[in-house]
Amino acid sequence: IPTRDPSNVISIFSDTYTSVPVDFFNGYWQPYQTTQSADFVADGNNILNYTDFNFVGNQFSNPTVDATEKSNIHIDMYIPGEVPSNMNFLITIVDFGADKADGGGDDTREQIFFNKSLWVPNTWITLEFPITMTNKNAIGQIIYENINFSSLTNFYLDNIYFYK
């Protein structure tokens, strides 16, 4: 359960904080996305569950998020069962630029790579990292991807938020 002061948080998904409007937690982007959602509730806490995973995104574009005053992102992640030996995971934060539109020609991205060494099977871990991109006043997506032929197929997410 997060303990940060709510005044220092912009929540995308959390039962602890009030979250911003979200367009979707799984856009089912065609034709290449295979990821399905099997979200559930555990002890009264909503959990995002991604199955058949290759890549998936959370989009919040109406309105986008102004994270100018926020320095970091926080994501809690859980891998049920064994962590794949070839696991490579990429998170991309997308700022939609001045036009506040996805693919409008002025988007910027920040990517953060994670390898297998961070995860412990059947254990919640926290991914926290600084947001270093210059533009972060119109953030509209967080994308999660298997890369380098990673065979991760199922994981849970909770407490996705920007903070200072």
Side-chain angles (χ1 to χ4, degrees):
I1 297 176
T3 59
R4 287 195 171 81
D5 180 340
S7 67
N8 294 328
V9 168
I10 299 173
S11 176
I12 304 303
F13 182 84
S14 178
D15 290 317
T16 301
Y17 304 111
T18 301
S19 296
V20 299
V22 173
D23 303 330
F24 53 77
F25 291 104
N26 185 342
Y28 298 101
W29 292 315
Q30 295 298 325
Y32 301 107
Q33 181 185 341
T34 61
T35 306
Q36 299 296 306
S37 291
D39 303 341
F40 61 94
V41 177
D43 297 325
N45 191 23
N46 292 289
I47 306 292
L48 297 173
N49 180 13
Y50 296 115
T51 61
D52 300 320
F53 175 68
N54 66 339
F55 67 92
V56 68
N58 309 148
Q59 182 167 297
F60 32 97
S61 64
N62 192 18
T64 57
V65 167
D66 183 351
T68 304
E69 300 299 318
K70 307 303 179 212
S71 56
N72 297 285
I73 187 168
H74 172 109
I75 301 169
D76 290 329
M77 186 172 172
Y78 181 101
I79 298 176
E82 290 300 312
V83 177
S85 61
N86 65 345
M87 182 170 166
N88 285 296
F89 192 73
L90 183 70
I91 296 176
T92 303
I93 301 170
V94 183
D95 184 281
F96 288 170
D99 67 1
K100 298 184 180 182
D102 182 21
D106 60 352
D107 299 1
T108 56
R109 297 173 180 262
E110 179 172 346
Q111 297 185 310
I112 300 88
F113 171 79
F114 300 94
N115 65 29
K116 179 187 184 304
S117 65
L118 294 175
W119 281 272
V120 176
N122 302 306
T123 303
W124 283 101
I125 66 154
T126 296
L127 303 173
E128 288 187 325
F129 49 90
I131 306 166
T132 60
M133 62 184 167
T134 304
N135 297 323
K136 54 183 179 177
N137 61 349
I139 296 176
Q141 288 179 340
I142 303 172
I143 302 168
Y144 313 92
E145 298 178 71
N146 259 338
I147 60 170
N148 300 326
F149 306 103
S150 173
S151 60
L152 176 66
T153 59
N154 186 27
F155 65 94
Y156 311 154
L157 292 181
D158 197 7
N159 301 312
I160 303 166
Y161 59 85
F162 301 100
Y163 71 94
K164 66 176 179 176

